[in-house]
Amino acid sequence: MKRKCLANETCPVARGYDAIGDWWSLLIVLNILTHGSRRFSQLQEELGMAKNILTARLKKLVDEDILEKRPLAEGAYHEYAPTARGRDLWKVLITLRQWGEQYYCHGERPPNRLVDRETGQPIPPVEIRAADGRLLGPGDLAVIACQPAGTAETE
Amino acid sequence: MKRKCLANETCPVARGYDAIGDWWSLLIVLNILTHGSRRFSQLQEELGMAKNILTARLKKLVDEDILEKRPLAEGAYHEYAPTARGRDLWKVLITLRQWGEQYYCHGERPPNRLVDRETGQPIPPVEIRAADGRLLGPGDLAVIACQPAGTAETE
């Protein structure tokens, strides 16, 4: 039960973190998401990870139903592709990438860009909106405790 | 130069990843973002990290201008607060949290929720929109190589 490593183990965010496992695992998923699928050798080359570490990370991501290992037509090779659960990390990919572009480009041209496939235009900065459509900023968030089911909620 | 650990070191996403450093560092920043600021002892208790590891992670995050270490009025204590750069990771916090809630709650009530401070209502699922306002899905993204400045772009 990897979940034990996070203090608040009933928190869904903590569970999600534990399912991803570690930083390298997130990078593996984001690399695969960007390309649709990847072979082991491609991941190893692009991420520069040791084989045994990459093997262990991929196994955990498959066990957690974030990636699936699929046989390829040619030879005995496999590729790793995102499951629905893995694919739904795409919004994390975009927000992390936009953050990196904002703070680590310094006016340089990045080597590649994430674009809208239909128009080839960059994805505009992600907007966070309230249920009533108001644009939110980081100061507009609060964390509230939820009462157990069946009792009134505190707000 | 930590950047060496990622293959494509000119990619701003890779630079952003290297600045964050590792998974625990991201968890530290997200914990601080949720609460506005945190003392060392609180972080240690909530994340269950060894003191020397937490110390090293916090130092790197301060060096990278993602967190700042501020003296507290009472006694010799300090707290860690997000800088503008760290605060701008708030969209990553939201997308990772919504992913965790979607896949790891299984109908259970989470212990806490991230809400709109003004109304107390949950933040709706983040929408990714194209420059022309179209709602995008994960299949609508493409990665294109950028040419060096001064040359035409491939699209």
Side-chain angles (χ1 to χ4, degrees):
Chain A
M1 299 276 91
K2 295 285 193 310
R3 196 169 300 163
K4 293 287 182 208
C5 68
L6 287 177
N8 185 356
E9 61 181 79
T10 58
C11 175
V13 186
R15 290 187 202 174
Y17 291 152
D18 284 343
I20 295 173
D22 66 14
W23 190 235
W24 282 109
S25 301
L26 183 63
L27 299 190
I28 292 168
V29 179
L30 299 188
N31 186 296
I32 287 171
L33 272 181
T34 303
H35 296 89
S37 66
R38 277 299 196 213
R39 277 167 54 173
F40 185 93
S41 56
Q42 292 174 311
L43 288 168
Q44 213 221 328
E45 187 182 326
E46 289 177 22
L47 297 167
M49 293 173 72
K51 281 187 184 177
N52 60 331
I53 293 176
L54 181 57
T55 300
R57 297 295 184 282
L58 286 169
K59 182 181 183 311
K60 174 165 164 61
L61 289 167
V62 169
D63 289 346
E64 292 283 356
D65 192 27
I66 291 173
L67 296 180
E68 64 171 328
K69 186 177 178 179
R70 300 192 303 208
L72 281 171
E74 68 266 33
Y77 294 113
H78 289 80
E79 65 176 2
Y80 291 88
T83 62
R85 183 177 290 196
R87 208 154 36 239
D88 275 345
L89 280 166
W90 71 293
K91 296 178 184 177
V92 177
L93 165 69
I94 293 175
T95 53
L96 259 179
R97 188 178 177 105
Q98 290 186 338
W99 179 81
E101 288 176 348
Q102 180 175 359
Y103 286 104
Y104 297 93
C105 265
H106 309 297
E108 294 166 46
R109 210 178 185 77
N112 58 54
R113 289 191 315 190
L114 200 60
V115 299
D116 173 2
R117 185 181 292 278
E118 191 171 315
T119 63
Q121 294 300 307
I123 313 296
V126 172
E127 293 180 343
I128 309 293
R129 294 190 175 271
D132 59 15
R134 281 174 12 260
L135 194 60
L136 299 178
D140 296 320
L141 302 182
V143 174
I144 59 165
C146 295
Q147 298 296 313
T151 65
E153 280 188 26
T154 48
E155 290 198 358
Chain B
M1 299 278 90
K2 295 287 195 305
R3 197 169 301 162
K4 292 287 182 207
C5 70
L6 286 178
N8 184 355
E9 61 182 78
T10 59
C11 174
V13 186
R15 291 188 200 173
Y17 290 152
D18 284 343
I20 294 173
D22 67 13
W23 189 235
W24 281 108
S25 302
L26 183 64
L27 299 191
I28 292 167
V29 178
L30 299 188
N31 186 295
I32 288 171
L33 272 180
T34 304
H35 296 90
S37 66
R38 277 301 196 213
R39 279 169 52 176
F40 185 93
S41 56
Q42 291 173 311
L43 288 168
Q44 212 220 329
E45 187 182 325
E46 289 176 22
L47 296 168
M49 294 173 71
K51 281 185 184 178
N52 60 331
I53 294 176
L54 180 57
T55 300
R57 298 294 183 283
L58 286 168
K59 182 180 182 312
K60 173 163 166 61
L61 290 167
V62 169
D63 289 347
E64 293 281 356
D65 192 27
I66 291 172
L67 295 180
E68 65 172 326
K69 186 177 178 178
R70 302 192 302 209
L72 282 172
E74 67 268 28
Y77 294 112
H78 289 79
E79 64 176 2
Y80 292 87
T83 62
R85 182 176 293 196
R87 209 155 35 238
D88 275 345
L89 280 167
W90 71 293
K91 294 177 186 178
V92 178
L93 165 69
I94 292 175
T95 52
L96 259 180
R97 190 180 174 100
Q98 290 186 340
W99 180 80
E101 287 176 350
Q102 181 176 356
Y103 286 105
Y104 298 94
C105 265
H106 308 298
E108 294 166 45
R109 213 178 184 75
N112 57 54
R113 290 192 312 191
L114 201 59
V115 299
D116 172 4
R117 186 182 291 279
E118 193 172 313
T119 63
Q121 294 300 308
I123 313 297
V126 172
E127 293 180 343
I128 310 294
R129 293 189 177 272
D132 59 15
R134 282 175 10 262
L135 194 60
L136 298 178
D140 296 320
L141 303 182
V143 175
I144 59 167
C146 295
Q147 298 295 314
T151 63
E153 280 189 26
T154 47
E155 287 198 356

